[in-house]
Amino acid sequence: MSVAKFRMAAAAIAAGLVSLAAPAWAQTDVDVAFNVGVVSDYVFRGVSQTDEEPAIQGGIDITAGSFYAGVWGSNVDFFDDTDAEVDFYGGFRGEAGGFALDGGVIFYAYVNEPNFADYNYTEFKLAASRAVGPASVGAAVYYSPDFFGVDETATYYEVNGSFAPMDKLTVSGAVGQQTLDVSDDYVTWNIGATYALTDNLAIDVRYHDTDVDGAAAYEDRIVGGLKVVF
């Protein structure tokens, strides 16, 4: 995607999100939050997106009642001209029977992707979680009708959990399976801890791995990150 086309797509998606959110905003207070962070490696579903190098990331989240929307970006390194990923997302959060529910859509856009790459894709998300004392357990599924690169339909299944053993410290982890129609399916997992240094600043240390052998981007690694929200 060229920079010009990327800006046109971004403008169109942003306009659609604003139009969709308008009724909710008219009746509900709107909260806007910004986040900026740095990680030693940008890992997505067990795979390094930056050739095992650091990434600078940031985003904006807008919440109006049950509706949310946002934009998030990070540098990437795919050994071509692609130099950034920008995600646009929106959806609704609610509660039923003691479960927190989340349904939404995410558009992954890649700046300066080669014409032949077909990196850009859309995913639809359904997730549910339940708090049990200081712990939370959940599951999520993501479906794409036209996934990243050579793959078309793809589904990602995940179970996750978190536990707060003490004030400011949260231990969390997840296990997921990425199913693909062309590339090989694989399983990924992560476990780590997040510590709130202040009300706005947190540090995260996390171990990632997959069941893929012989591919450097899929190998196990420990990733450190620092994130500020304001």
Side-chain angles (χ1 to χ4, degrees), residues 31-120:
D31 294 322
V32 180
F34 300 85
N35 65 84
V36 177
V38 59
V39 291
S40 59
D41 187 358
Y42 171 23
V43 177
F44 178 70
R45 296 179 187 169
V47 185
S48 174
Q49 308 294 293
T50 49
D51 190 26
E52 304 177 87
E53 295 295 329
I56 297 175
Q57 304 171 333
I60 304 171
D61 291 289
I62 302 171
T63 305
S66 298
F67 176 84
Y68 67 89
V71 180
W72 179 89
S74 174
N75 60 288
V76 298
D77 186 354
F78 296 156
F79 305 103
D80 55 30
D81 292 333
T82 309
D83 51 24
E85 171 191 335
V86 182
D87 303 340
F88 301 87
Y89 50 88
F92 293 87
R93 297 189 180 102
E95 185 175 340
F99 287 88
L101 306 176
D102 183 350
V105 60
I106 311 162
F107 177 64
Y108 302 81
Y110 295 88
V111 181
N112 294 328
E113 65 161 352
N115 291 332
F116 61 83
D118 194 23
Y119 289 157
N120 299 339

